[in-house]
């Protein structure tokens, strides 16, 4: 099948029964326009193997190689294809998309090697009747509703990250700050009814507060019930998609990812790249629309994922969003006790007095990983020196953990609200286009503080301030930085705002 408009008859086009050469040429123009309007990536993913069979009584019969491709085109692009076709052939009033059999393999294109290479591996596998390879514990699995994915790079990229056998619901310590997240995770993992629960389920929290532990616990419990699960970190998702594009197996990658019952994606805030973000959004939509469960974790709520498109953020926020709060002292004590008990199984002589344990739980407030590090330090001291763990040795062992407490995570929204309140303007004034002196000054101060106190880039800050350009933010940062060096009153004001935000 040609996709660039260069045709030499029905035999070369692989479209038996087409109503004359004029229709063949019109279809080639339709494909050419779709490629120009939607871009090469979208065209190669969804339209490269869309074939015209015939036009009869105003109905254009089209075929695709898989049910998933048929469903996706009908759900997202049918009207666009119809309108484009109608502009070329006025008599076409409707489209009929069907799935062609394995024997109707796509012919390699002679003038577009990129498209033919992308199509031929999957077509060959469909013709040969290959089945999806098994990958042990991380296998996505297959059933009668899914089409075979090619072996090789695209398949290997979807092995997913392995689940840690230590991170189960049984080993998760529940407290006030994570009780809701734990309950939602267990309900989703053990759900055996139709459809999905709280879809998507979205966890967000700072480092070391239990997000990943819950994700692994969901994965283990769901697999035990026989569900097809894949756990991916953001970097593994990105690598898999990019590698599938390079090896021209992108469609197989998409189809196999959508064939699962439960997708677990960790650290979604790290997903970057326009095409990768678009594919992430398509994947989320396809799974949710099909009633498959999606569980996502990030270090911030969906509304603060500035790098993602608004429609993707909205989709993520449309399910159950649960924040895992900081660990209170009671929960830290429970986590520490559980870890000490686990270590004592393999080191019976290792003992930590209740007084020392209480001190450690009170001194380390950042996250559970630091508590894990404290136990490892105390164990090292006891095993290497042979001395008992005292308060003095505990203080020395965890000194660096106490000093390096995680700073408070400051939100741009909080900065805008505080600055607006301080200068007697509204937050909407700061985000507006108003350029009066009473509004410009607090707006610039808020931009400056956003740059100094958060890790957000200039373009991200600009988007959070009413969609302003990054150069506007840069100008504000430079201006306030210059003024606080010249004006002691302004310097004191800005320092006070910093302290208020950091406390």
């Amino acid at each position: 099948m040609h996709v660039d408009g260069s045709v030499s008859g029905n035999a070369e086009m692989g479209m038996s029964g087409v109503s004359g050469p004029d229709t063949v040429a019109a279809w080639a123009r339709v494909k050419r326009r779709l490629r120009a309007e939607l871009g090469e990536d979208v065209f190669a993913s969804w339209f490269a193997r869309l074939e015209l069979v015939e036009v009869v009584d105003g109905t254009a019969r089209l075929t695709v190689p898989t049910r998933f491709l048929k469903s996706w085109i009908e759900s997202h692009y049918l009207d666009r294809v119809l309108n484009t076709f109608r502009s070329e052939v006025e008599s076409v009033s409707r489209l009929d998309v069907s799935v062609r059999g394995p024997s109707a393999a796509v012919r390699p294109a002679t003038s577009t090697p990129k498209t033919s290479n992308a199509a031929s591996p999957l077509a060959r596998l469909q013709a040969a009747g290959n089945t999806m390879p098994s990958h042990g514990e991380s296998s996505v699995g297959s059933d009668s509703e899914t089409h075979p994915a090619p072996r090789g790079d695209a398949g290997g990229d979807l092995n997913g990250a392995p689940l840690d056998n230590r991170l189960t619901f049984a080993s998760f310590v529940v407290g006030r700050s994570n009780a809701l997240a734990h309950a939602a995770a267990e309900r989703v993992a053990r759900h055996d009814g139709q459809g999905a629960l709280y879809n998507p389920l979205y966890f967000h929290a700072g480092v070391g507060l239990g997000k990943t532990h819950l994700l692994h616990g969901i994965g283990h419990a769901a697999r035990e019930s026989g569900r097809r699960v894949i756990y991916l970190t953001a970097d593994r998702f990105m690598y898999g998609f990019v590698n599938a594009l390079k090896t021209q197996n992108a469609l197989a990658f998409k189809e196999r990812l959508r064939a699962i019952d439960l997708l677990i994606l960790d650290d979604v805030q790290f997903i970057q790249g326009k095409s990768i973000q678009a594919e992430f959004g398509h994947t989320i939509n396809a799974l949710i629309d099909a009633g498959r469960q999606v569980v996502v974790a990030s270090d911030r709520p969906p509304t603060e994922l500035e790098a993602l498109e608004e429609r993707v953020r909205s989709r993520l926020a449309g399910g159950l969003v649960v924040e895992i709060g900081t660990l209170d002292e009671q929960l830290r004590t429970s986590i520490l006790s559980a870890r000490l008990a686990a270590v004592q199984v393999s080191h019976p002589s290792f003992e930590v007095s209740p007084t020392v344990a209480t001190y450690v739980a009170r001194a380390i407030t950042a996250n559970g990983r630091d508590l894990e590090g404290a136990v490892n330090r105390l164990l090292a001291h006891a095993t290497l020196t042979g001395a008992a763990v005292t308060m003095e040795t505990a203080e020395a062992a965890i000194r660096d953990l106490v000093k390096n407490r995680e700073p408070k995570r400051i939100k741009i929204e909080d900065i805008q609200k505080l600055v607006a309140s301080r200068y007697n303007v509204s937050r909407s004034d700061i985000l507006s286009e108003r350029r009066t002196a009473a509004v410009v000054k607090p707006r610039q101060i808020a931009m400056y503080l956003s740059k100094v106190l958060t890790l957000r880039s200039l373009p991200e800050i600009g988007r959070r301030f009413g969609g302003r350009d990054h150069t506007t933010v840069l100008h504000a940062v430079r201006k306030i930085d210059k003024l606080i060096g010249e004006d002691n009153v302004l310097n004191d004001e800005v320092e006070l705002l910093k302290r208020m935000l950091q406390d």
Side-chain angles (χ1 to χ4, degrees):
M1 178 183 67
H2 283 281
V3 294
D4 62 350
S6 175
V7 299
S8 57
N10 291 357
E12 186 176 13
M13 287 293 293
M15 298 186 294
S16 60
V18 176
S19 305
D22 290 344
T23 307
V24 173
W27 176 243
R29 291 195 297 272
V30 170
K31 301 289 284 290
R32 204 164 52 231
R33 286 177 57 180
L34 289 172
R35 171 186 273 147
E37 294 171 4
L38 300 173
E40 186 64 38
D41 284 349
V42 173
F43 180 86
S45 296
W46 309 118
F47 302 103
R49 289 177 291 158
L50 179 65
E51 289 189 342
L52 174 65
V53 177
E54 60 183 353
V55 177
V56 178
D57 297 331
T59 299
R61 290 188 55 228
L62 308 174
T63 66
V64 290
T66 68
R67 279 189 288 269
F68 167 71
L69 197 55
K70 173 181 182 296
S71 175
W72 189 263
I73 291 175
E74 287 178 338
S75 300
H76 297 83
Y77 294 107
L78 196 64
D79 289 342
R80 184 164 198 150
V81 175
L82 176 59
N83 291 335
T84 305
F85 208 155
R86 185 180 293 162
S87 69
E88 297 290 341
V89 181
E90 293 184 0
S91 62
V92 172
S93 59
R94 66 184 296 269
L95 302 179
D96 177 43
V97 183
S98 61
V99 180
R100 55 180 174 264
S103 60
V106 180
R107 290 178 179 269
T110 59
S111 60
T112 313
K114 178 175 181 180
T115 303
S116 69
N117 289 342
S120 58
L122 184 57
R124 287 196 300 270
L125 286 170
Q126 289 170 333
N130 275 340
T131 57
M132 189 178 302
S134 174
H135 293 283
E137 186 181 53
S138 298
S139 174
V140 175
S142 62
D143 59 20
S144 60
E145 294 301 316
T146 62
H147 287 265
R151 300 178 187 269
D153 292 337
D157 291 337
L158 270 178
N159 286 342
L163 293 178
D164 191 329
N165 291 328
R166 299 171 301 172
L167 304 181
T168 64
F169 286 139
S171 62
F172 188 84
V173 181
V174 182
R176 185 171 55 187
S177 63
N178 59 25
L180 177 60
H182 176 264
E186 277 207 315
R187 182 70 62 86
V188 164
R190 306 190 192 285
H191 177 62
D192 56 0
Q194 294 296 321
L197 289 174
Y198 322 128
N199 214 10
L201 176 58
Y202 187 105
F203 297 121
H204 67 96
V207 175
L209 297 181
K211 301 187 304 296
T212 298
H213 193 145
L214 282 180
L215 297 186
H216 283 250
I218 291 172
H220 285 304
R223 281 182 180 163
E224 289 172 0
S225 64
R227 296 164 73 185
R228 297 164 298 176
V229 180
I230 188 167
Y231 167 75
L232 291 170
T233 56
D235 61 332
R236 199 166 188 119
F237 177 87
M238 291 188 292
Y239 171 79
F241 182 62
V242 170
N243 198 48
L245 290 178
K246 288 181 179 178
T247 58
Q248 299 178 343
N249 281 318
L251 185 57
F253 178 92
K254 301 167 193 285
E255 288 181 321
R256 188 175 178 200
L257 188 57
R258 290 158 172 78
I260 60 177
D261 298 315
L262 171 60
L263 172 65
I264 304 173
L265 188 63
D266 202 359
D267 290 328
V268 69
Q269 72 272 10
F270 294 126
I271 291 183
Q272 300 175 356
K274 185 175 181 180
S275 62
I276 294 175
Q277 290 178 11
E279 175 54 29
F280 171 69
H282 294 327
T283 297
I284 295 295
N285 286 332
L287 288 172
I288 293 176
D289 291 344
R292 312 293 175 85
Q293 182 70 55
V294 176
V295 181
V296 179
S298 175
D299 67 347
R300 67 200 72 162
T303 54
E304 294 185 21
L305 295 172
E306 296 94 342
L308 292 181
E309 295 180 357
E310 174 60 32
R311 58 183 176 180
V312 180
R313 297 201 301 269
S314 176
R315 189 71 170 193
L316 292 175
L320 176 61
V321 178
V322 183
E323 179 178 12
I324 302 176
T326 56
L327 310 177
D328 56 38
E329 184 177 336
Q330 182 178 356
L331 182 53
R332 295 197 304 272
T333 301
S334 299
I335 293 173
L336 186 64
S337 299
R339 181 54 187 155
L340 289 171
V343 170
Q344 286 171 344
V345 172
S346 54
H347 298 82
S349 61
F350 175 60
E351 293 184 3
V352 176
S353 68
T355 302
V356 172
T358 300
Y359 162 73
V360 173
R362 287 178 177 173
I364 297 178
T365 60
N367 57 63
R369 292 178 187 171
D370 283 354
L371 290 172
E372 178 87 8
V375 172
N376 291 335
R377 283 163 171 75
L378 297 178
L379 176 62
H381 171 83
T383 55
L384 294 177
T385 66
V389 177
T390 64
M391 186 67 73
E392 290 73 19
T393 57
E395 290 176 348
I398 68 171
R399 184 177 294 119
D400 62 316
L401 296 175
V402 175
K403 284 183 178 180
N404 296 327
R405 292 179 182 176
E406 187 180 73
K408 178 183 177 182
R409 185 161 59 93
I410 300 172
K411 301 177 182 178
I412 291 179
E413 182 181 6
D414 294 337
I415 294 174
Q416 293 168 342
K417 290 179 179 178
L418 178 62
V419 172
S421 173
R422 188 74 178 174
Y423 287 92
N424 295 317
V425 297
S426 67
R427 180 169 175 261
S428 60
D429 287 333
I430 290 180
L431 301 181
S432 72
E433 297 297 327
R434 292 182 57 190
R435 300 188 59 82
T436 61
V439 174
V440 171
K441 180 182 178 181
R443 179 187 297 140
Q444 290 179 333
I445 291 175
M447 288 181 176
Y448 170 82
L449 292 172
S450 297
K451 178 58 179 169
V452 172
L453 299 179
T454 76
L455 298 177
R456 302 293 188 265
S457 65
L458 293 177
E460 289 174 342
I461 294 173
R463 285 193 291 270
R464 299 298 296 276
F465 278 82
R468 287 175 163 79
D469 189 79
H470 74 280
T471 55
T472 302
V473 181
L474 180 61
H475 170 73
V477 171
R478 288 176 173 173
K479 182 173 182 179
I480 298 301
D481 190 48
K482 181 174 182 292
L483 289 176
I484 60 178
E486 301 171 350
D487 186 341
N488 290 332
V489 175
L490 179 61
N491 180 68
D492 291 342
E493 288 180 7
V494 172
E495 287 301 316
L496 175 60
L497 290 169
K498 284 183 183 179
R499 288 196 298 272
M500 294 174 69
L501 289 163
Q502 290 171 332
D503 289 343

